[in-house]
Amino acid sequence: MMSSINSVIQRIGARVPIKDLVTYHIADRNYAYDPADTGVTVNQQSHKMKGGQLWRQYIIAANANLAITSIGYCLGWTAPINSKLTDPVNSPLGRPATTEEIAWIGSLLSIGAIFGPFFGGLTASKIGRKWGLMSATIPLFIGWIMIAVATSIPLLYAARIIWGVAVGMLFTITPMYCGEIATDDSRGALGSFLQAFITLGYLLIYVVGPFVSYYVVAYVGLAFVAIFAITFFFMPESPTYYLLKDDREGAAECLEVLRGRPRADIESELNLIASDVAASRERTATISDVFRGGNFKAFYISCMLVFFQQFCGINAVLFYLTDIFNASGTSLDSDIATIIVGAVQVVCSSMTPFVVDRLGRRILMLISSCGTAIGMGLLGMFFLLDRNDSPVVESISFLPVLSLVLFIVMFCWGLGPLPWAIIGELFPIEVKAVATPIVTAFCWILSFLITYFFPSISDSIGMHVGFFIFGGCCVGSFFFSLLLLPETKGKSFQEIQIMLGGG
């Protein structure tokens, strides 16, 4: 009897538009929310998603984040390449690059990344999350080809800007894709993949860059982009995107692949996603919606998270890591020290996905903010003593490496991965496509300011000033996380919206 009822319901669902399908499940709902202040109340069911074969989600999310590894390779490119560009004999430019040119090469990627999120949001909504990620390989390929043939500074500038477009696209679409394929219990882990995989890219460039020629570095970068494009071609689309396009059968097939379960087992989750999508389609979100009610709370929390992520000093550290070690005068070879820091990044970032859904977001942000503040404070103290020619400096030459390792460990546990994971959780579906590109663009504006002005500050008033500023921002992050950051661990998207709305 029940099987025949289920078959009738499935046949009805296949013929009824998603918008109307919500009414078939009202009896099972026990709370309500208004996703974008539309005035349309949507009832939601309180239930536990069936995780199915969790390894499927992890494999698919890992494939998506291979592109992020390629981005890490691009972002860390300046660390070993700056010394090659300033080499009067082996520079591909035929002359050594100036300090001003090096500063622009380091920072121009952030300029491209400011515009990339808007391309990313457009492609994700028009051609899908999967093909949006695939399309980001185009500027990556173009950038690496330009790098490989570059014999002039303007060509390097252009390549870095084009890379930046890809960075902005991937930082927008990847968290969106991972959030939409994940169950509630694994969403934090999959959202943390971004930081784990970007550190793999950093480590790769730190290991390869110092020991091969400028051109081999470019060929390795090209090869990695190709690996991502080939492997991700076989991955599924997001079920949310299929439902946004009124393709319920496509969404069902996608969920079957993601969960490794038959249609009957994924039907309740499919209905819940369909309800969310139906609510989001009642009204197309505009920029004004971002600044209303719970959406505005999600927006300012997201902006503050990326502010603290950038102003903890991570990009200044990673873009100029080799220069920092050279300036410290440590006896440890700067290339080896850079590899040590890169390896620590990978190990610590790989731990976060396994603990973020156990410990929660807030506790990890608090630990991370406290630890990064200590690391920056120690680093600033060392360079202050060095600037004043203190005799103590020689006996504590190990301190820069120790401080940076502490900073990286703490960053990778919270400030690195969690802002992107939390941003992917805070916004309703219809607002996410508008708000996420703005937040991502804001992130890269901050990155540009830091990477461009950090060398100037270091040369004019001392490297310690920058590190003390970064340390102060880490302290600010601690109190923000303590007082204002909501805990989203284990909560469904609907529960998060209720919490942000004060319910």
Side-chain angles (χ1 to χ4, degrees):
M1 181 67 177
M2 287 301 297
S3 61
S4 59
I5 291 173
N6 287 335
S7 64
V8 170
I9 291 174
Q10 289 177 15
R11 286 198 296 273
I12 292 173
R15 293 195 297 268
V16 178
I18 293 170
K19 178 179 176 181
D20 299 326
L21 187 64
V22 182
T23 58
Y24 286 96
H25 307 283
I26 293 296
D28 296 328
R29 313 299 190 197
N30 60 10
Y31 60 80
Y33 82 109
D34 179 1
D37 297 331
T38 62
V40 178
T41 301
V42 179
N43 292 303
Q44 296 297 342
Q45 180 183 24
S46 177
H47 79 292
K48 188 81 168 175
M49 288 184 181
K50 293 185 178 181
Q53 299 172 343
L54 281 176
W55 61 268
R56 289 173 176 260
Q57 295 177 52
Y58 282 78
I59 292 293
I60 293 167
N63 266 274
N65 279 277
L66 282 179
I68 297 296
T69 300
S70 180
I71 289 301
Y73 191 84
C74 294
L75 290 171
W77 179 83
T78 53
I81 295 299
N82 282 350
S83 60
K84 299 180 189 295
L85 294 176
T86 55
D87 189 326
V89 177
N90 298 316
S91 173
L93 305 174
R95 63 170 178 81
T98 66
T99 302
E100 180 74 9
E101 289 169 341
I102 291 295
W104 277 110
I105 290 171
S107 59
L108 279 175
L109 183 145
S110 300
I111 293 292
I114 293 170
F115 300 99
F118 300 100
F119 291 110
L122 182 64
T123 55
S125 61
K126 295 297 183 183
I127 62 176
R129 282 56 161 156
K130 173 183 176 177
W131 291 104
L133 288 171
M134 292 288 285
S135 67
T137 62
I138 297 173
L140 284 175
F141 275 123
I142 293 172
W144 278 118
I145 292 170
M146 293 174 71
I147 289 290
V149 302
T151 57
S152 65
I153 285 292
L155 202 56
L156 288 179
Y157 288 168
R160 293 284 289 175
I161 292 173
I162 291 172
W163 273 353
V165 173
V167 170
M169 292 177 69
L170 290 169
F171 269 66
T172 301
I173 306 173
T174 306
M176 188 185 302
Y177 178 80
C178 290
E180 290 177 359
I181 68 170
T183 54
D184 293 341
D185 291 338
S186 64
R187 198 172 59 241
L190 267 58
S192 301
F193 271 20
L194 188 146
Q195 180 64 24
F197 278 79
I198 202 170
T199 58
L200 280 174
Y202 277 117
L203 180 60
L204 182 62
I205 189 66
Y206 294 159
V207 170
V208 172
F211 309 109
V212 300
S213 71
Y214 169 90
Y215 300 101
V216 171
V217 171
Y219 301 148
V220 172
L222 271 170
F224 213 89
V225 178
I227 290 170
F228 163 72
I230 293 169
T231 57
F232 194 65
F233 178 81
F234 300 99
M235 297 298 108
E237 179 56 86
S238 154
T240 300
Y241 176 74
Y242 279 122
L243 290 171
L244 286 167
K245 297 301 180 181
D246 290 322
D247 186 357
R248 185 179 174 85
E249 288 306 310
E253 292 173 6
C254 181
L255 270 179
E256 289 175 27
V257 172
L258 288 167
R259 305 293 180 253
R261 290 179 176 273
R263 177 66 178 261
D265 286 352
I266 56 91
E267 194 68 27
S268 62
E269 182 179 355
L270 181 63
N271 291 334
L272 184 63
I273 299 173
S275 299
D276 295 341
V277 171
S280 73
R281 295 176 66 181
E282 291 294 334
R283 175 178 168 184
T284 302
T286 62
I287 291 179
S288 63
D289 288 316
V290 177
F291 300 95
R292 293 179 182 172
N295 297 331
F296 178 67
K297 188 173 182 180
F299 180 71
Y300 85 72
I301 289 172
S302 299
C303 287
M304 291 304 295
L305 285 172
V306 297
F307 172 83
F308 289 124
Q309 183 192 62
Q310 293 302 312
F311 267 82
C312 75
I314 185 61
N315 279 333
V317 167
L318 296 179
F319 280 31
Y320 303 104
L321 195 55
T322 304
D323 297 333
I324 291 171
F325 281 125
N326 288 334
S328 71
T330 178
S331 57
L332 185 63
D333 182 85
S334 60
D335 292 330
I336 301 301
T338 300
I339 292 172
I340 292 172
V341 171
V344 169
Q345 271 189 291
V346 172
V347 172
C348 295
S349 297
S350 300
M351 294 168 60
T352 304
F354 297 103
V355 298
V356 65
D357 286 312
R358 296 176 182 270
L359 298 180
R361 283 62 157 161
R362 284 183 74 236
I363 187 66
L364 287 177
M365 283 293 294
L366 290 169
I367 294 171
S368 176
S369 300
C370 185
T372 51
I374 294 172
M376 284 289 104
L378 291 174
L379 205 56
M381 183 187 69
F382 175 86
F383 280 99
L384 176 61
L385 293 172
D386 183 57
R387 187 177 179 84
N388 294 329
D389 297 320
S390 172
V392 179
V393 170
E394 191 171 339
S395 61
I396 59 171
S397 61
F398 63 89
L399 192 59
V401 177
L402 180 63
S403 301
L404 282 175
V405 167
L406 173 64
F407 172 80
I408 292 295
V409 169
M410 294 293 106
F411 177 83
C412 292
W413 280 357
L415 277 166
L418 294 186
W420 300 111
I422 295 170
I423 289 168
E425 297 174 322
L426 292 181
F427 294 106
I429 296 170
E430 74 279 7
V431 179
K432 190 180 297 185
V434 178
T436 304
I438 299 173
V439 174
T440 308
F442 176 64
C443 172
W444 290 104
I445 291 172
L446 299 176
S447 175
F448 168 76
L449 295 175
I450 291 168
T451 53
Y452 182 75
F453 288 107
F454 179 73
S456 302
I457 292 173
S458 301
D459 291 341
S460 58
I461 57 178
M463 201 173 280
H464 64 284
V465 175
F467 291 134
F468 283 138
I469 292 173
F470 296 147
C473 290
C474 294
V475 174
S477 174
F478 177 87
F479 287 103
F480 174 81
S481 301
L482 180 66
L483 301 175
L484 296 172
L485 183 65
E487 179 56 76
T488 58
K489 180 185 76 170
K491 292 182 172 63
S492 68
F493 286 118
Q494 296 79 24
E495 291 170 324
I496 292 169
Q497 295 312 307
I498 293 171
M499 180 173 59
L500 290 174

